[in-house]
Amino acid sequence: MEYYILAFIFFYIFIFLARQACEYEPIFFIIGIAPLAFLAVFRGNVGTDTSAYLEIIRATSESTELVSIEPLFYGLSAGLMFLFNNEKVVLAVFGVLITLILLAASSKLEKSGTVFGACVIPIFYQAMTMNGVRYGLSFSIVVFATVFFLHGYRKSFFFIALLAGLIHLSGLMLAFLFYIFFVKTIKLQMFFMVLLTGLLLAVFFSDIILTKIPSYMDFKSPSIFSGTSIFLLSLLAIYVLGNLEGVGFYLSFRAFWIIFIVISSFVLSKFSYAGLRFQSLILFLIFLVMQYKIASENIVVKNRNYMILIFIGLLGLGFNFNNYINEEPDGESPFIPFKFVWAEQSDGLN
């Protein structure tokens, strides 16, 4: 655990420096995230789903079957396995790609350290690079797509979002929800809202659509308190978003539908693991919308709102650490104790 704590202390120091010296923000952001990236790239068999991903990547080099769902990830895995012939190296390359894409996007989004530094990296970075690599790569590509949306290149935004969806379907949904938030016409928003509701019902309550849904539905919600932590973080994030938008935001249809999907995903988390996954997607969406608003409208984030964002990030980080501690220590690849890849190699030789 000490490696994680020290890396985040280092990260927060440079995030605070970045806020004080805005002109050097991209440089401070890169320096700050470096220890976290180092842990992600040079980890051993660490991360709840790491063992599963190593098996998936290994299988891509041994199979010639065409994958119909999320084919781009499998194609990338097969190509990288052809180049490196080592699934651990391929997984590390994915971690590097996710980090570089996030850094490239943040350098183009004004004041990216405000939301990305305070919330997204503390809450999501380790899961994106050390656990759910598919969704991590997909989400980072969607973040990059918002740069094109910012500059008015809508077709490029949709094309890149489609690529993200070919890596992980949740990336396409993230981009879709992001687009809904910025649709100007209420009628269109209502149409998309109804469409989204229909998709949610189809995805979460059908065992026919998509072969991966049954596997999600097999995972029951761990307890009655499942999803409570993410629900709390989402409400706090909506509060900050409302402060940035102004008082009128809470009376708008946009506020209604984003609160609606937050509550809906919370309810779903009581019945299915899929609900927990959707909760994380919605929280990421709120942060993405917030960062985009700050960049597109050059909003000055007041210290009070910034400290709330810092609190949200630290609270989310605390929830993550608590999950690490409560993980099954005998699992194939728990988050703790942390092991570097060379330590595992030396253990294997002894």
Side-chain angles (χ1 to χ4, degrees), residues 173 176-177 192-206 209 213 217 257 260-262 264-265 268 274-275 278-279 281-282:
M173 179 169 280
F176 176 61
L177 292 171
F192 284 131
M193 186 71 177
V194 173
L195 179 61
L196 173 63
T197 303
L199 286 173
L200 286 177
L201 291 173
V203 168
F204 292 117
F205 296 106
S206 172
I209 301 176
I213 298 306
M217 296 300 291
W257 79 255
F260 170 79
I261 56 179
V262 165
S264 298
S265 60
L268 285 170
F278 191 62
Q279 272 193 298
L281 185 151
I282 299 306

Side-chain angles (χ1 to χ4, degrees), residues 230-240 259 262-263 283 286:
I230 303 179
F231 182 65
L232 175 61
L233 295 175
S234 299
L235 292 181
L236 288 171
I238 289 173
Y239 173 75
V240 178
I259 292 172
V262 165
I263 295 174
L283 181 59
I286 298 170

Side-chain angles (χ1 to χ4, degrees), residues 44-55 58 327-336 339 344:
N45 206 20
V46 176
T48 309
D49 292 339
T50 293
S51 293
Y53 272 104
L54 290 174
E55 288 294 329
R58 188 182 302 115
E327 259 189 325
E328 178 58 52
D330 297 327
E332 293 186 19
S333 52
F335 267 96
I336 55 175
K339 297 178 182 178
E344 285 190 342

Side-chain angles (χ1 to χ4, degrees), residues 12-48:
Y12 273 110
I13 289 172
F14 278 89
I15 287 303
F16 283 122
L17 289 174
R19 182 165 171 81
Q20 300 304 317
C22 295
E23 64 272 22
Y24 299 112
E25 184 184 70
I27 297 174
F28 284 135
F29 198 84
I30 292 171
I31 296 173
I33 204 174
L36 292 170
F38 185 84
L39 293 181
V41 172
F42 294 104
R43 75 187 191 278
N45 206 20
V46 176
T48 309

Side-chain angles (χ1 to χ4, degrees), residues 69-228:
I69 298 175
E70 301 163 349
L72 189 53
F73 175 80
Y74 291 93
L76 285 171
S77 298
L80 290 171
M81 276 296 288
F82 177 78
L83 288 175
F84 299 108
N85 196 31
N86 187 314
E87 60 272 17
K88 290 188 176 182
V89 173
V90 172
L91 204 56
V93 170
F94 278 130
V96 172
L97 285 175
I98 292 167
T99 304
L100 291 178
I101 294 170
L102 285 175
L103 288 174
S106 64
S107 68
K108 300 296 182 181
L109 294 171
E110 194 73 20
K111 304 173 185 174
S112 58
T114 303
V115 179
F116 273 72
C119 298
V120 174
I121 299 301
I123 297 174
F124 289 101
Y125 181 76
Q126 285 176 313
M128 292 171 69
T129 56
M130 299 175 64
N131 192 32
V133 176
R134 272 187 302 180
Y135 102 81
L137 184 58
S138 181
F139 277 24
S140 64
I141 291 173
V142 174
V143 175
F144 187 73
T146 62
V147 176
F148 291 86
F149 193 86
L150 175 66
H151 295 289
Y153 300 114
R154 298 294 190 264
K155 291 181 180 179
S156 297
F157 167 79
F158 289 120
F159 176 73
I160 297 173
L162 179 60
L163 293 179
L166 293 175
I167 291 174
H168 198 277
L169 288 170
S170 61
L172 189 60
M173 179 169 280
L174 175 65
F176 176 61
L177 292 171
F178 175 85
Y179 178 74
I180 292 176
F181 192 89
F182 293 102
V183 171
K184 301 297 183 183
T185 308
I186 293 181
K187 288 183 179 180
L188 271 177
Q189 288 183 334
M190 293 181 68
F191 168 76
F192 284 131
M193 186 71 177
V194 173
L195 179 61
L196 173 63
T197 303
L199 286 173
L200 286 177
L201 291 173
V203 168
F204 292 117
F205 296 106
S206 172
D207 60 356
I208 299 174
I209 301 176
L210 304 180
T211 58
K212 65 185 296 181
I213 298 306
S215 63
Y216 276 159
M217 296 300 291
D218 286 339
F219 289 98
K220 301 301 181 184
S221 187
S223 73
I224 193 173
F225 299 106
S226 295
T228 304

